[in-house]
Amino acid sequence: QKEVEQNSGPLSVPEGAIASLNCTYSDRGSQSFFWYRQYSGKSPELIMSIYSNGDKEDGRFTAQLNKASQYVSLLIRDSQPSDSATYLCAVNPQAARQLTFGSGTQLTVLP
Amino acid sequence: EPEVTQTPSHQVTQMGQEVILRCVPISNHLYFYWYRQILGQKVEFLVSFYNNEISEKSEIFDDQFSVERPDGSNFTLKIRSTKLEDSAMYFCASLGGGNTGELFFGEGSRLTVL
């Protein structure tokens, strides 16, 4: 069973702070990693993808991947109340064209 | 910007009835998916579809479920003899080009089985 694990939270940070979200995965052959944002009652929205070890930055978001540790994270700088949502880690298992999702981390940014 | 569209946005049905959920994927995408999210739980893969046939399916996708692409645009999920536990959000997604693995989701169809 290929698993993706996330701390369910809730995680609360003050406005302007850095939010750090973490994810581990079990399939060592996984090649592609994604962070989705999901507002309550809405569909997942892709915010970051990462494919190689290291950091990838896009605006206020930085994704970090460490394949040796089977760990992927998302940093949100200068957090805003509009960032309050559930963040889903998704992994593309080896030899598959579908994504396995974690249970999500609920983030609340306090004004 | 192209998007995945789903209908209906919400369907209420009686237990034992059949429902069909419809999706129009992004036009130049080749892989299509159905995912399910029971309230408060994780997004779960049901099935993927490529070249007019099922590519992969999960243990959830049993004989109660079927998918088809009846024409060049629509992609449907049929749920036969619905059960209470089928109540969930059903998301259609399509796979972007370039082999990046990025899935783009529709807004979802909420199914309520009474």
Side-chain angles (χ1 to χ4, degrees):
Chain A
Q1 183 76 6
K2 299 177 174 60
E3 298 289 341
V4 178
E5 300 290 340
Q6 295 181 252
N7 290 329
S8 61
L11 172 66
S12 294
V13 300
E15 184 174 356
I18 296 175
S20 178
L21 306 164
N22 305 314
C23 171
T24 59
Y25 58 94
S26 63
D27 182 3
R28 185 170 288 277
S30 299
Q31 296 295 318
S32 307
F33 308 87
F34 306 90
W35 284 98
Y36 284 80
R37 177 174 61 199
Q38 187 176 33
Y39 293 112
S40 181
K42 301 296 186 182
S43 62
E45 174 191 8
L46 179 67
I47 54 172
M48 287 289 286
S49 58
I50 187 165
Y51 307 99
S52 55
N53 282 327
D55 295 359
K56 179 181 177 183
E57 186 174 317
D58 184 0
R60 296 186 296 112
F61 300 97
T62 298
Q64 299 173 316
L65 175 62
N66 183 326
K67 289 185 178 180
S69 300
Q70 294 175 239
Y71 175 90
V72 59
S73 66
L74 179 71
L75 300 178
I76 307 174
R77 289 181 300 281
D78 188 23
S79 296
Q80 302 296 310
S82 58
D83 294 327
S84 298
T86 297
Y87 288 81
L88 308 177
C89 175
V91 175
N92 182 210
Q94 187 177 25
R97 283 185 176 269
Q98 46 91 357
L99 298 183
T100 299
F101 283 83
S103 57
T105 298
Q106 184 179 347
L107 172 67
T108 300
V109 180
L110 303 170
Chain B
E1 183 175 322
E3 60 182 20
V4 177
T5 58
Q6 291 186 241
T7 55
S9 58
H10 188 193
Q11 180 155 358
V12 181
T13 190
Q14 295 292 324
M15 191 169 52
Q17 296 298 303
E18 175 181 286
V19 299
I20 297 177
L21 306 179
R22 293 180 169 80
C23 169
V24 179
I26 296 173
S27 61
N28 62 344
H29 288 186
L30 299 179
Y31 281 85
F32 314 125
Y33 301 79
W34 285 101
Y35 282 79
R36 177 181 81 176
Q37 187 175 33
I38 296 171
L39 185 63
Q41 298 187 24
K42 65 172 63 176
V43 176
E44 300 175 292
F45 169 71
L46 293 179
V47 65
S48 61
F49 194 83
Y50 171 74
N51 200 25
N52 287 322
E53 61 182 23
I54 291 174
S55 176
E56 299 173 76
K57 62 182 181 178
S58 71
E59 293 178 350
I60 302 169
F61 194 87
D62 59 20
D63 291 343
Q64 185 192 5
F65 296 90
S66 62
V67 291
E68 64 175 3
R69 199 165 187 222
D71 54 43
S73 59
N74 288 288
F75 176 51
T76 64
L77 174 69
K78 182 186 291 185
I79 309 174
R80 287 179 284 274
S81 189
T82 50
K83 299 174 283 195
L84 296 176
E85 54 264 38
D86 294 327
S87 295
M89 282 289 284
Y90 288 81
F91 294 112
C92 177
S94 65
L95 178 65
N99 215 27
T100 60
E102 297 177 350
L103 293 191
F104 295 89
F105 285 81
E107 290 298 311
S109 293
R110 179 174 299 282
L111 175 65
T112 301
V113 182
L114 301 177

